[in-house]
Amino acid sequence: ASDAQVAQLRAKDLVNVLRTGSLTAPLREQSSTRKGPGLGEDSIARTKLAFLAGSAAVVLIMVFFYRLSGLFAVLAVSLNVLFELAIMAAMQATLTLPGIAAVVLTVGMGVDANVIIYERIREELRAGKSVRGAVDAGFSRAFWTIFDAHVASFISGFVLLEYGTGPVRGFAVMLIVGVICNLFTSTWASRHIFNVYLGRRRSAAETLSI
């Protein structure tokens, strides 16, 4: 028989042995390595701590500079975070570390929006307007500034979602959701809180803690 025929016969024998499972070589475990989620848990714990510390700092700063109105801003920002988490839960999406970073970013945007509104209200009060008129004018005049900033952030998030991959897309999704929620809470929800407060307290119609 030629070498080619011998090789072919040996190949057939090997195939038959593999099919019947009659290999005599036993399998023994020589070593094993286990990888746990310790590193990920540590990162998540640090992220939560940073988020809580940042939130506490935001509350203190807003209350210090804007008094009772600062609490209104904190309430509006809290609603923003709540709406974001509710939408993510409805979408059955997983909140990853990049997503948490996007939440922190939208919190900063919410605080910035309220600062713009409050500074406008202060200007109107200095000009001699009534509390109700100053609040209405402050929200109206600050709206388009806030809207432009949110549209720019929305476009950035859409571009990241379209061309990004992996964690970048997770950040982009949360950023887009946060921008939409933040535009709603910083304008409509915050203004509604002021309207309820001014409507229930007669003294608030004359003076405003801001």
Side-chain angles (χ1 to χ4, degrees):
S2 62
D3 294 339
Q5 292 177 340
V6 173
Q8 189 176 7
L9 291 174
R10 289 179 178 177
K12 288 182 179 180
D13 292 340
L14 180 59
V15 169
N16 292 331
V17 170
L18 292 174
R19 285 179 178 176
T20 56
S22 59
L23 288 174
T24 58
L27 297 176
R28 296 187 181 90
E29 182 178 350
Q30 297 294 330
S31 64
S32 62
T33 303
R34 296 181 180 180
K35 295 183 178 180
L39 182 60
E41 289 179 351
D42 183 64
S43 299
I44 293 175
R46 290 178 179 272
T47 303
K48 289 181 179 178
L49 179 60
F51 180 78
L52 293 176
S55 300
V58 167
V59 172
L60 293 175
I61 292 173
M62 292 301 293
V63 172
F64 177 78
F65 282 102
Y66 298 105
R67 305 175 194 176
L68 181 61
S69 298
L71 289 178
F72 295 162
V74 171
L75 178 58
V77 173
S78 300
L79 288 175
N80 176 35
V81 176
L82 180 63
F83 289 158
E84 291 182 43
L85 296 179
I87 292 175
M88 295 298 287
M91 296 170 57
Q92 296 183 349
T94 302
L95 184 61
T96 59
L97 288 178
I100 296 175
V103 172
V104 174
L105 176 60
T106 55
V107 167
M109 294 175 61
V111 172
D112 180 65
N114 281 277
V115 168
I116 293 173
I117 293 170
Y118 290 172
E119 291 300 323
R120 289 284 189 177
I121 294 175
R122 282 181 170 180
E123 290 177 1
E124 298 298 330
L125 289 174
R126 294 191 193 101
K129 283 192 176 182
S130 63
V131 172
R132 175 72 70 174
V135 170
D136 292 340
F139 276 94
S140 299
R141 294 186 176 182
F143 174 78
W144 289 111
T145 302
I146 297 171
F147 182 80
D148 291 343
H150 282 68
V151 168
S153 299
F154 182 88
I155 294 173
S156 300
F158 182 79
V159 172
L160 291 175
L161 180 64
E162 187 70 19
Y163 298 102
T165 57
V168 176
R169 289 179 62 88
F171 176 84
V173 170
M174 203 65 201
L175 178 61
I176 292 174
V177 172
V179 165
I180 296 174
C181 293
N182 192 44
L183 184 61
F184 171 77
T185 56
S186 62
T187 55
W188 186 86
S190 184
R191 187 167 189 170
H192 182 68
I193 293 172
F194 269 96
N195 290 335
V196 171
Y197 174 74
L198 294 176
R200 290 186 176 182
R201 294 179 63 91
R202 294 182 179 179
S203 60
E206 300 176 358
T207 60
L208 180 64
S209 177
I210 188 170

